[in-house]
Amino acid sequence: MKYGIAVFPSKDLQDIANSYRKRYDPKYAKVPPHLTLKAAFELNEDEEDDMINQLREIASTSNPFTLKIGKYSTFHPVTNTIYMKVTENEDLFALHAKLNEGDLTIDVEHPYVPHITIGQEMNYDELSDVYGRLKLETIHHEETVDRFSLMYQLENGAWSVHETFVLGKSQ
Amino acid sequence: MKYGIAVFPSKDLQDIANSYRKRYDPKYAKVPPHLTLKAAFELNEDEEDDMINQLREIASTSNPFTLKIGKYSTFHPVTNTIYMKVTENEDLFALHAKLNEGDLTIDVEHPYVPHITIGQEMNYDELSDVYGRLKLETIHHEETVDRFSLMYQLENGAWSVHETFVLGKSQ
């Protein structure tokens, strides 16, 4: 089964992201707006319980963190993606590290850039136009994140949340 | 904010439901296949923490239950909905009752019929045709449900999972 780990931010931030995703993100209907903590990975279902125990342990020994958005950015020319850039943050990077080391190590192609995607697989003209406008905008959003979600992917490509893990709390 | 409480069944059952929902359910892209435990309700966000504490208490004092599907059914002529009928079950009804009494009471229009929707808002000809075929089919599916999810609704109508609650376990 294919799994992924992400943070779903507040309704306010999800609504802002969706106002762009609706037009610019072909995965709009497959998953709500999110901050990926661990990219999609394959795992046998019989290993799921072990992983969940690890995730509970990681959550209980991690701190809630501040999710701060200061601007929009793009991964172009690597991919034609526009995203809300999440300001770097020690607690977030510590959590990301714990979710991607030891038994949870997976091969990743790029260094971790925390972000919330608002457009992807855009054609170049559209990306230039939209990003040209957004890079002039400032966005000031700050919220406390106190949980992350383990999801699995359905056959149609949509993601279903299997379990949420509250940070900094023994469960 | 608008909240709802549901069970997301196994990937296998969700994939079967989606094979129909894709064609017959206009809410296909808004939420994965689910068994509703508490219909959508409005709640002030400042009451969310109290509700979550109640849900944790309910989850820890409830039993996992067997989700058994034996046939397809329809709510026609009340609504043009086709669903997988969930076999009645004492633990499921007990959980549903706890989630809909006391502080959690909401007005509901119909008695509780546990189901997983696979088509809704269908025109009559389509409903007759599809249900005509499905009512001749038997479906034997059985799984253990050990969790439920609290969701909230985004502005675009999609649902985002806020927290999952594991049954029969102090959290």
Side-chain angles (χ1 to χ4, degrees), chain B residues 29-90:
Chain B
K30 301 299 188 195
V31 64
H34 59 277
L35 163 65
T36 299
L37 288 179
K38 185 174 181 63
F41 60 100
E42 285 288 344
L43 189 79
N44 288 329
E45 280 177 68
D46 56 13
E47 296 176 63
E48 190 185 279
D49 286 347
D50 282 348
M51 173 177 62
I52 287 176
N53 286 335
Q54 283 182 279
L55 297 181
R56 286 184 181 145
E57 174 66 22
I58 288 170
S60 69
T61 57
S62 295
N63 298 319
F65 62 88
T66 302
L67 173 62
K68 190 174 170 184
I69 310 280
K71 64 172 186 170
Y72 296 94
S73 191
T74 177
F75 289 129
H76 178 82
V78 179
T79 60
N80 281 6
T81 298
I82 299 178
Y83 59 88
M84 294 172 169
K85 186 170 172 56
V86 175
T87 305
E88 303 200 355
N89 178 305
E90 199 176 320

Side-chain angles (χ1 to χ4, degrees), chain B residues 111-124:
Chain B
Y112 183 56
V113 179
H115 68 282
I116 296 171
T117 296
I118 60 166
Q120 58 188 317
E121 299 170 32
M122 299 171 76
N123 70 49
Y124 178 71

